[in-house]
Amino acid sequence: MDLAREHPSDDVEDAWDVASTALDAKAVGNLLVDPHFHSDPTAYHTLLRRLRAEAPLFWVEPDEYAPFWIVTRHADVMQVERAMDVFVNGPRVMLMD
């Protein structure tokens, strides 16, 4: 099942179905770059909670964007921030060209 969809209906509680679908680099990536997904806080936080529990460092491959890592645990984010010689955030600072 593809996680990415058009904006879900307001009357469907978990229209994105992020809680029960297998984590997939393309599907998760497409969700993370979808502005409609970010407007659904329940689905957004459900996905991030799953990633923290099941795959705290996750490689995503969204359509039309360069692949990237998503880091979901605070301690891991801090480690990445402190190791600028290992983790490079440029020149790909933005998702869009």
Side-chain angles (χ1 to χ4, degrees), residues 27-54:
V28 171
N30 285 333
L31 284 176
L32 292 173
V33 299
D34 182 346
H36 295 297
F37 182 68
H38 288 260
S39 69
D40 182 342
T42 301
Y44 180 75
H45 290 289
T46 299
L47 176 62
L48 292 179
R49 192 175 309 111
R50 273 195 74 197
L51 287 170
R52 277 191 298 276
E54 299 175 31

